[in-house]
Structure formats: structure tokens, C-alpha cells
Amino acid sequence: MRPKFAQYLPILDWGRRYDRGALTNDLIAAVIVTIMLIPQSLAYALLAGLPPEAGIYASIVPILLYAVFGTSRALAVGPVAVVSLLTASAVGQVAEQGTAGYAVAALTLAGLSGAFLVLLGVFRLGFLANFLSHPVIAGFITASGILIATSQLKHILGIDAGGHTLVEMAGALLAHLGEINPITLVLGVATTAFLFWVRRGLKPLLRRLGAGPLLADVVTKAGPVVAVVATTLVVWALGLAERGVAIVGAVPQALPPFTLPGLSPELVRQLALPAILISVIGFVESISVAQTLAAKKRQRIDPDQELIGLGAANLGAAFTGGYPVTGGFARSVVNFDAGAETPAAGAFTALGLALAAVALTPLVHYLPNATLAATIVVAVLSLVDLSILRRTWAYSRADFAAVAATILLTLTLGVEIGVASGVVLSIVLHLVKTSKPHVAEVGLVPGTHHFRNIDRHDVRTDPTVLSLRIDESLYFVNARFLEDLIQDRVTDGCRVRHVVLMCSAVNEIDFSALESLEAVNERLRDMGIGLHLSEVKGPVMDRLKTTHLLDHMNGRVFLSHYDAWCALARAGADTKAAE
């Protein structure tokens, strides 16, 4: 019998079937992802306002913990651009960048995020992330990509310019244009151009030259490493650091240290809301990537266990000198394409990064910040998808309004307000859509037992029977809407003698909706009209049987709407043509 605790340790499942073939594939994937992660980790730490080694530290123990608790075979956990930006925004409000307090606040943020995610997972509350609609998430990520790319221009230009919003950053850049360092500019622009070419043109070129797909992929993913090595050598050989080129400087040559997040009530209070927002955004991004990749191999992802896996990873970051992490899209796709079979590929990646932290960190002393900034710019511009505005405008004006508002608020007021507004807009959008549910008057399709909308089909109707199909669950937001709609349809002078509510699409009736149905029943009774229900689902009927509605209802409950039609409609019912 499987121990109960085993459900929280997916490693016990895939670990039993681990073989030499999986080991080989995982090792190959780990090499490719490690090559990709080294410059990315350094760059994202820079984006978060932390020392470069924090990016490496955040990519070691968190990956190991996710390998134990996570359910995705391909998800690569670590620092990502959007979470790094959110970290900088949140921590920057409670401590000054470069101070010990800033690093402690980042650790605290990771700890709070981890604890929140674990709690959600233990209590199986992963569904809460569904309140963030995809259009709103797409709008936030697009705006974040623009902000991130803009924030890195100061490193490429070699100037000192701050700001948290697009307007602030643009103003600061314009104000300091006269301070541009020409050497830094050349390095930054050349590196950016090279990385764009590597991303788009190197792999096809290698394939045309006869390289195999695996070799071409490894060399392409190593492009940022080539840029790092080349620019570091140039800065070192030409002594460019003495000529104003900002460099990474000394990086500790050590494994991740044991650290403690700050536990002061004031710090926790200040970071609690940002931690929740980071957790939700990180989980949504991570689970979408994990499920997409799992579907390609017909594997299963457990969202609640993913919460625990990501929570454990963030707790690990909090105690090993890191900052909040999540599953990254780009590196997860690389991990998947490279043939990763199990989460052990992530564990091998962590070991590779640990080796880099011990042996390679002195080699990045002369690495220019402009190179890291170029790495970030090239990575995040792939997140920018302004076509979401055109697509939502064509499909749904409400979704367009939500996307446009999220993008605008994120760019003008900052990422925290942007993501908070995205959450609120997602909930409001849902409430607005369900506050006026689609209710269709239906009639019988001749020669069948099916009922369809009278405005779309040629159907048989009866002026004494009003058949309404409710295409939404009934709850407090829309209860009054149905009440008013029925009242408007049975005005004085109409010939209706029976109102039948077709409930095939109603999954729930809450107490507010129940009271509305009771009010409708009383009102129709006074008018001499019967209220009937048809095709009520079992769970809904079970709830209704515990109330007085069925006992007092001025009508009947029918198993099918056709039964209601046969019992209530007049012989020779009218036919209404579709408009």
C-alpha cells in the first residue's frame, strides 16, 4: 500500500522507473540548460537589483527541491524576467538597492511567496489562479516585457537612470543622454545585435552547413555564453573598466550560503501583498508552461502539487541567498526539446550551476553589465505580444478593455498596480459576463425532441407556454436579472399560462437565486401562471429538495423539456420562423 505522504513526493513515483536511457537524456538536457542558465541567472539578478551571484544561488537549491516535490518532467525552475521585475519593484519600496536590507527583503519576499504557495497547495486551492484571465495575463506580461527592456537601456547606454514606470524611465533616459559612454554603447548594441542574430539565424545556418539538430541546438543555446566570453575578454584585454565600462566585479566563489529571511512584523506586512501577487503570477506562468509541455507527452500535471513544488523552491531560495523563482518558459521549452525525461534533469542542472558557482565565478569579474542587459532585452522582447490587442478587439470588447487597461496601468503606474488591477479586472470581467446570463426562448424543432432558440431556428411554439433556457448557473450576481426578465415577459395581456425554465446548463443555484425563484413562483401564482422546471441536474435537484421551493412551486419538475412540452403545450402549436 502506498504511504499517504507519498502523494506529496512525486520523486517516489518517477524515481522507481528511472533507467539508464532516462539518465542519458537528462544529462544532455542538463548540459544545454546549464549553458543557457549561467548568463540568464546573472542577468536576472541584475534586473532584480541584486548581486549577480544571487541569480546563481536562486537556480541551485530551488531546482533541487522542485525535482523532489514537482510533477512536471520538463519544467525548469529559477529566476525569470517578470518575477525579477516584480521583486525589484517590491523590494525597492522597503530598502535601498545595494544595501544589506535590500538582500534581506528579497529573501523575505521569497520566503513569504513560498509559504503562501505551499499553503495553497496543501489546502488544494490552485483553482484560485483561474481568476486571472488569460487576456489580462497576456496584457500584463506584454507590458512587463516593455518595462524590462526599457529598464535595461541604461546599462546598454552606460548611464545612470532610474524609474519604475515607462514615463519615469523614458524621462530619466532623455535627461542623461549627454552622459552616454560610447564604449559601453558599442558593446551593448553589438551584443544585442549578435544575440538577435543567434536567436533567429544561427540554427538555420548551422543546419544548412550540415550540423545535426542536437549540435545546432546546443550551439545556438550557447550563443549568450559566447557573448559573455567575448565581451569579458575584450573588457579585460583593453582595460575598458578603467574607461568607464561598468562590470560585474568580484563574485563570491562559493556554494549558496545559508541565509535567514527577515521576520520583523513591519517587513512582513510591507511585503505580504507583493508576495501574494508574485506567487499568483509565477504559478500561472509556471502551470501554463508545465501543462503545455506535459500534454505533448500525454503526461499529467497536478496543479495543487505544483503549488507545493514551487513553494518549496521559493522557500529554498529564501534560505540559500536567492530571491523568488518560478518555472521559466524559455528554459523549460529548451529542457523539453533537449530530451529531458524526468525532473532529474533539473537536479543535474543544479549540480552544473553549483560547479559554475565554485569554479567559474572569478571569470565573470570583467563581464560588462551591458552584456547582461542585452541578454535580458533579447529574452524579454519575445514576451511582448501587442497583437493581443487586435485579437481581443475582434473577438470581445470586454476582453480588449481588460487587456488595454492592464497594459496601460502597468506601463504608467508600475508593475504592482498593474498586476493588482489585472486580478481585479479578471474578477470584474467574470462578474459582468455572468451578471446578465444568456437566456434563450426555445421552441421544438419539428420532427425531433430537441429545443432551440426561436430567433435562430424554425421551431414550434405555443403562446401559452414560455420556454426559457438558462445558459448559466444562477447565483447572487444574476439572480435579479432572471427575476426581472420573467416579469417583463409575462406582462398584462399576454397569453402565457406556463413558464418552463430549462435548466440543462445550470450547474448551481445559490441561496440568493433560490430566493429569487421563490419570489418568481409567488408572483406567477398570483397571476395564475404555473412555474415549471425541466432537465434539472442531479446535484442541483439534491439541493432544491432540501428547500421549500419544490413543495410550494406552482408547477412541476420535468425530466426532459420534451416531457414538459407534451404536458403543457396546446395541440397544433404555432411555428415561429427564425429572424
Side-chain angles (χ1 to χ4, degrees):
M1 183 176 177
R2 187 184 183 189
K4 195 170 184 179
F5 70 86
Q7 64 179 318
Y8 296 112
L9 294 171
I11 189 174
L12 299 179
D13 180 31
W14 59 263
R16 288 197 301 267
R17 300 187 296 273
Y18 202 68
D19 55 25
R20 182 175 298 178
L23 173 63
T24 301
N25 291 332
D26 286 345
L27 284 173
I28 293 173
V31 170
I32 295 174
V33 175
T34 301
I35 291 172
M36 178 184 182
L37 262 183
I38 291 174
Q40 265 196 5
S41 299
L42 297 172
Y44 290 149
L46 178 71
L47 175 60
L50 292 163
E53 64 269 17
I56 297 290
Y57 296 161
S59 302
I60 298 177
V61 173
I63 296 179
L64 292 172
L65 289 172
Y66 180 82
V68 173
F69 294 100
T71 61
S72 173
R73 305 294 179 92
L75 191 70
V77 172
V80 299
V82 173
V83 170
S84 297
L85 178 65
L86 288 168
T87 298
S89 175
V91 177
Q93 296 180 24
V94 300
E96 185 178 349
Q97 186 173 329
T99 64
Y102 191 95
V104 170
L107 297 173
T108 305
L109 191 62
L112 291 173
S113 297
F116 180 70
L117 287 167
V118 169
L119 283 176
L120 289 181
V122 169
F123 290 102
R124 309 191 72 78
L125 298 176
F127 69 90
L128 293 176
N130 296 333
F131 284 104
L132 270 177
S133 69
H134 178 265
V136 166
I137 284 289
F140 171 72
I141 290 178
T142 291
S144 297
I146 295 172
L147 284 178
I148 292 169
T150 305
S151 71
Q152 297 308 297
L153 292 179
K154 62 183 180 182
H155 298 295
I156 293 177
L157 298 175
I159 61 179
D160 184 15
H164 296 287
T165 68
L166 185 63
V167 175
E168 291 175 354
M169 287 188 286
L173 289 172
L174 290 174
H176 293 83
L177 281 180
E179 304 169 11
I180 291 178
N181 183 297
I183 301 174
T184 301
L185 178 61
V186 171
L187 282 173
V189 172
T191 303
T192 304
F194 171 75
L195 292 176
F196 270 120
W197 175 77
V198 165
R199 175 169 289 221
R200 298 174 181 270
L202 181 57
K203 189 171 182 178
L205 175 62
L206 292 173
R207 296 290 286 141
R208 287 196 299 270
L209 294 176
L214 180 59
L215 177 61
D217 194 56
V218 172
V219 173
T220 300
K221 297 303 183 293
V225 177
V226 173
V228 166
V229 173
T231 54
T232 301
L233 288 175
V234 168
V235 171
W236 170 73
L238 301 180
L240 299 182
E242 287 76 27
R243 299 172 64 181
V245 174
I247 58 174
V248 168
V251 177
Q253 189 176 359
L255 291 172
F258 176 74
T259 54
L260 286 174
L263 298 177
S264 72
E266 180 61 18
L267 182 61
V268 171
R269 183 191 66 78
Q270 290 176 309
L271 294 177
L273 180 58
I276 292 173
L277 295 177
I278 287 175
S279 301
V280 172
I281 290 294
F283 174 66
V284 170
E285 179 179 354
S286 180
I287 196 67
S288 62
V289 175
Q291 290 178 333
T292 299
L293 297 179
K296 294 182 179 181
K297 290 190 175 182
R298 298 189 179 184
Q299 295 169 347
R300 180 179 174 273
I301 297 298
D302 182 349
D304 293 310
Q305 185 61 35
E306 282 298 289
L307 284 166
I308 294 175
L310 291 173
N314 277 278
L315 288 173
F319 289 97
T320 57
Y323 66 98
V325 298
T326 191
F329 175 77
R331 71 174 68 107
S332 296
V333 171
V334 170
N335 198 35
F336 179 86
D337 290 342
E341 292 280 346
T342 71
F348 295 140
T349 298
L351 294 177
L353 291 170
L355 179 63
V358 172
L360 302 181
T361 49
L363 302 179
V364 300
H365 183 279
Y366 288 99
L367 172 61
N369 289 342
T371 298
L372 296 179
T375 302
I376 293 174
V377 169
V378 174
V380 302
L381 286 183
S382 63
L383 302 176
V384 177
D385 179 21
L386 293 176
S387 69
I388 189 70
L389 292 170
R390 172 181 53 79
R391 289 184 281 125
T392 52
W393 175 264
Y395 187 76
S396 168
R397 296 295 192 272
D399 285 334
F400 169 81
V403 172
T406 302
I407 292 176
L408 184 63
L409 290 173
T410 302
L411 292 178
T412 57
L413 299 179
V415 290
E416 286 191 351
I417 294 179
V419 68
S421 66
V423 174
V424 173
L425 284 170
S426 295
I427 296 173
V428 169
L429 192 61
H430 170 73
L431 294 177
V432 169
K433 287 180 177 178
T434 57
S435 66
K436 294 183 178 180
H438 181 259
V439 178
E441 183 175 350
V442 297
L444 179 66
V445 178
T448 73
H449 291 186
H450 301 296
F451 290 81
R452 293 293 184 269
N453 192 328
I454 66 172
D455 293 328
R456 294 178 177 271
H457 302 273
D458 291 332
V459 292
R460 295 175 60 195
T461 61
D462 185 328
T464 66
V465 178
L466 175 62
S467 294
L468 299 177
R469 188 189 69 222
I470 306 167
D471 295 334
E472 182 68 64
S473 292
L474 297 176
Y475 69 122
F476 66 96
V477 172
N478 58 31
R480 186 55 187 249
F481 172 81
L482 179 64
E483 191 176 337
D484 293 340
L485 183 145
I486 294 174
Q487 182 65 29
D488 291 341
R489 290 290 285 108
V490 293
T491 54
D492 292 338
C494 76
R495 299 165 61 188
V496 173
R497 291 294 175 262
H498 302 281
V499 174
V500 188
L501 301 183
M502 184 177 179
C503 301
S504 54
V506 177
N507 295 316
E508 184 178 2
I509 298 176
D510 76 354
F511 192 77
S512 297
L514 174 67
E515 289 187 326
S516 286
L517 289 176
E518 292 174 341
V520 168
N521 181 61
E522 292 299 322
R523 198 169 298 144
L524 293 180
R525 181 196 300 274
D526 294 341
M527 299 171 67
I529 299 174
L531 174 65
H532 311 269
L533 305 178
S534 74
E535 303 188 10
V536 181
K537 293 185 175 181
V540 177
M541 179 60 75
D542 291 341
R543 296 283 294 276
L544 291 180
K545 286 179 179 178
T546 65
T547 72
H548 297 295
L549 175 66
L550 300 182
D551 296 331
H552 298 161
M553 196 167 68
N554 185 30
R556 299 166 53 188
V557 177
F558 295 93
L559 183 63
S560 73
H561 202 75
Y562 184 74
D563 291 342
W565 169 266
C566 292
L568 304 174
R570 296 181 311 131
D574 303 325
T575 300
K576 178 176 175 64
E579 295 181 0

